[in-house]
Amino acid sequence: MNLFGNDCSSQHSSMPSEDDILIKKLLLTHDPDGRRLDSELLLRAMENVLCYAAASQVCGFHIDAIAKDDVSDIEVVGSQETLAQIIDRIKIEMLRKHSGKENLHTRTMILFDVLGNYRWDVKAVLTLAAFATTYGEFCIIMQEYPYNPLAVSVAMLKHLPLNLWPLKPQFKALSFLVRTMIDVTKCIIKFEGLPFRYAQLDDETMVIAKSCIYVAAYWVTRSTVACTSQIRDLKAMKPEQVWSHSTLIAAWELSSLAYKLSSICSHLRRQVDLCHQQMEEKMHQKLLKVFQEVHPDNQDVLGILLAAKDELPLKNSSTQDKLGVSEMKGKVVLLLVSKAELLPQEGLLLLLDRTYDHPYHKKLEGSYEIVWISISDTWTDAERDIFNFLSNSLPWYSVRRPWVLYAAVVNYIKQEWDYKNVPLIVVLDSKGMVSKSNAMDMVFIWGATAYPFSTSKEKELWDEENWTLKLLLDEIDPLLTTWVEEGRNICIYGSDNLDWIREFNATCKVIRNAGVQLEMVYVGCKDLGEQVRRLLAIIDEELHKSLFSFTKLHFFWLRLESIRRSKLQLGQSIHSDDHILKEVSALLDTANEGWAIIGRGNTTDIVKLSASEAIKWLDRFPEWEENVAKLGFVSALRAAIDPPPPPLGPCNHSEVVPYAEGLTEETVLCEKCKHPMKKNVVYE
């Protein structure tokens, strides 16, 4: 196959080409035994070294901000050597001076023998890493010379040339070759990262792509050998040789390699993009199929969804252990999908409160797990930092490196699960079937008691609910929960109007001074801002102790919004006869002028009043105070607002009317009870 023809897919001729012969030799050295490492992460680190080194030698060479990848914990799975030991061994082989006439091809093939047990992307990255250590060390010394006495001393010991100006063409060619090597290696990594475990490319596409990969890996490795040789030769160069013709020849050799690699990169990129596009389509179909099939457990589903380019895709924040999807076997899995920053602070705290901190959570320990899948279209360094901080802090599992999720998986989540940058919780039952497309509202309303977080469970929970204080305030605050359980009279009120708040509290104070137990709870208004924060401080100082902090005010309104969404998603309508939905919607749609809800314990005995109604009826407390002892405060208030209808039976009222002819044949209704009146004739 001629890689440098018009296309990588050109047909084989009857005679084997140079590339065909080369590929056969390369495959004889290739004997992968399962050893692996994170080649993408290692390349990012090597890219920093190589590009900064090149920039230090070439004026105007632009590089982006340095990435903050930590490679110190990169594990070489399946090898007894550490990463540093492997790189040192390759570096020694690169710098070895062979007897007789030096041959770049022979030295390159020796490296392929050394790297025979690794995948093609790992071969390329490890050789780049070994070259980066040599190149980076050289550039640091030359960059510090002649300003740093230590650099001067080391340069003298290594016999490095002290005048680099004549070597500028050589360094310039080297810098562009380095960039091309990195680009080619990225293409190799992209191809090797395709999900071949779950879907296969067409045979012809696969054969052509693999041939391109083999040749590309060879020329990257050969280029690192050539660059290392030139740096080694600089150490042996005499001062007069710096100005010699040999430096121009060295620059030309590097430029030729850069041109060859650039041509390879163009062909390889097109081929890998074609493979990627084909694989995306196959993966999408695979995902559609796997979620429609019946499985004995959730392992196949989670395997294709999470274990994308990583055998151990999960992380346990508490132990920092790298884990596989087998940790989820037999459990209900709540897939928390969001951006890197997850939720606003208040939403995140509420989620923690309703799951990990929920009293029922310990009873269910091991029955369900939360797995955080973070999604971003960019994955900047800032987003990675935020994700790493949160994933190390939150008490649930997370996908360790969500930026390596397959694009097909991310697209499936966006399209099939309707993810639009608003956090959602997709529930998979123990067999891997989606039992609830978004359980976020269920979690916010009922917490861990909503287990197993299915749609049928949601309907069951709503069948058991009534319009009560417990529904409104469930476990937002421990003291408030106690008040509800004790059956206390509780007044929840909201407004951002300080004058009304003061007037309303003054009215309630009169009632409390009369011996009525009434707990006051301020909840602000739907649009929580600095005005409400200031009001909270004033109420706490002037009127009564604020039971809710500013954060817990958010909890209250988030809970109301979740109640409404949950009802609407189940097919209810605001115009239906669903009492809970109507009441919650009225609260959420109420302007900020003021309202109050007065109720008792976990009963349906609740009175809701507008700002004006609250002042009006509580001001009339002396008129209905006598009923409090008999009916209770809330029922007495309700009776005052809406008096009970008269008894159904006839009353004892009488009415005297003058006698008239024919009157005894007419029916007369009582003005009081509206029953027919009995007729009696009285003579005087």
Side-chain angles (χ1 to χ4, degrees), residues 419-448:
Y419 172 70
K420 294 183 173 61
N421 295 323
V422 177
L424 56 86
I425 295 178
V426 179
V427 182
L428 304 183
D429 64 19
S430 59
K431 300 296 180 65
M433 299 297 291
V434 176
S435 58
K436 179 69 179 174
S437 59
N438 188 2
M440 185 71 77
D441 293 323
M442 283 186 75
V443 172
F444 278 179
I445 299 168
W446 295 288

Side-chain angles (χ1 to χ4, degrees), residues 95 104 287 380:
L95 292 170
L104 281 179
L287 283 163
T380 62

